[in-house]
Amino acid sequence: MTSASSSTAHGHQKKTGSKRTGPTKTGPTKTGPTKTGPHGSDSTTQDDAFIRIRHVDKFFGSFQALDDVSLDIRLGQKIVICGPSGSGKSTAIRCINRLEAHDAGEIAIDGVRIDDSAAARRVLRNNVGMVFQQFNLFPHLSILDNLTLGPVRARGMAPAQARSLAEYYLERVRIPEQIDKFPGQLSGGQQQRVAIARALCMEPKIMLFDEPTSALDPEMIAEVLEVIEELAGSGMTMICVTHEMGFAGHVADQMVFMDHGRIVEMAPPKQFFSAPESERCQTFLRQILRH
């Protein structure tokens, strides 16, 4: 795996079924800059970044959920974001997907600024898939219809082609036999795997996972993590919020630790787990790895 490019972690100078071959995703050829490290000053030439986050703030009323967050992600990278509850992890990836509108700073995907414009909606629809804590499946639709609804309605795909795509991705997540069932007939782990397949049916370049195992019983967590780990091994670009540190160590090529809305530390997994720099990150890891 390649190591992640990053700009400032917390900038101190603010604001100036059928056998099919899966879709091949290639990103723009761009040149990149020098990495500055987790506590360095802002790097403004990360031209190889497919997702660029610069000095992003987000408020909910008077509460600041994100504080000067900057991060670059290249195609093919696997980023795991961790931190205590309320640290801004989920808010960060929800802002990437415009489920939350950031209040200051800039987010861009493939060079397109993410805002309320038609261009932003188009780049999100064509590039970004998301899997949530809850499965968010339509209970009155079959698994097949849950998977084909997006490709047919949003992308104008022919129903037969959408079905073929659904069969392929259900095979990828290891539940092809569930295609004609309804969500209520599946276990929680199976429903989350359907949610992953549904996101993949839109053929995104980037997958966002917001604590995908937090709503699952312990015995179902492994089956979902295995699917995500397999996707990571296939080269899918991922940003995953999780407390599953064993999983993170296997799939990530860059760990991001957040606290109080800020990125406190970024490092490859080996360095992150063996020699974290910040005292706050050291404390967090001691607590979470003890359990």
Side-chain angles (χ1 to χ4, degrees), residues 93-94 97 99 128-136 191-200 206-213 224 228 231 239-241:
I93 65 170
R94 288 175 67 86
N97 209 19
L99 296 176
V128 182
M130 188 162 181
V131 176
F132 301 87
Q133 297 177 28
Q134 302 297 328
F135 321 125
N136 294 335
Q191 289 187 62
Q192 190 63 298
R193 284 188 278 169
V194 170
I196 293 170
R198 179 179 60 180
L200 291 170
I206 301 150
M207 285 287 288
L208 308 178
F209 293 92
D210 184 10
E211 300 193 37
T213 61
V224 173
I228 299 173
L231 287 174
I239 307 173
C240 184
V241 172

Side-chain angles (χ1 to χ4, degrees), residues 28 50 60 65 73 79 83 96 107 115 129 141 151 154 157 163 171 189 206 209 230 246 251 286:
F50 192 73
F60 294 103
I73 299 105
I79 307 295
I96 292 173
I107 300 173
D115 51 25
L141 297 180
M157 189 177 290
R163 181 187 176 97
E171 187 76 41
I206 301 150
F209 293 92
E230 183 180 294
V251 304
R286 278 197 303 269

Side-chain angles (χ1 to χ4, degrees), residues 227-249:
V227 167
I228 299 173
E229 192 166 346
E230 183 180 294
L231 287 174
S234 73
M236 172 66 73
T237 307
M238 293 182 180
I239 307 173
C240 184
V241 172
T242 185
H243 291 293
E244 301 290 339
M245 293 295 98
F247 160 79

Side-chain angles (χ1 to χ4, degrees), residues 24 46 64 100 139 197 212 234:
T24 301
Q46 293 280 27
Q64 187 165 8
E100 300 287 353
S234 73

Side-chain angles (χ1 to χ4, degrees), residues 4 36 58 87 129 132 137 143 153 155 157 196 216 232 243-244 259 269:
T36 61
K58 172 64 182 175
S87 60
F132 301 87
L137 301 175
I143 301 308
R153 293 280 185 89
R155 306 193 72 175
M157 189 177 290
I196 293 170
L216 299 179
H243 291 293
E244 301 290 339
D259 191 32

Side-chain angles (χ1 to χ4, degrees), residues 95-140:
C95 284
I96 292 173
N97 209 19
R98 199 61 179 175
L99 296 176
E100 300 287 353
H102 54 286
D103 296 309
E106 181 177 297
I107 300 173
I109 298 177
D110 199 17
V112 177
R113 182 177 297 180
I114 300 304
D115 51 25
D116 292 327
S117 67
R121 291 194 296 272
R122 185 164 53 251
V123 80
L124 287 170
R125 182 174 65 245
N126 292 337
N127 290 285
V128 182
M130 188 162 181
V131 176
F132 301 87
Q133 297 177 28
Q134 302 297 328
F135 321 125
N136 294 335
L137 301 175
F138 293 111
H140 63 291

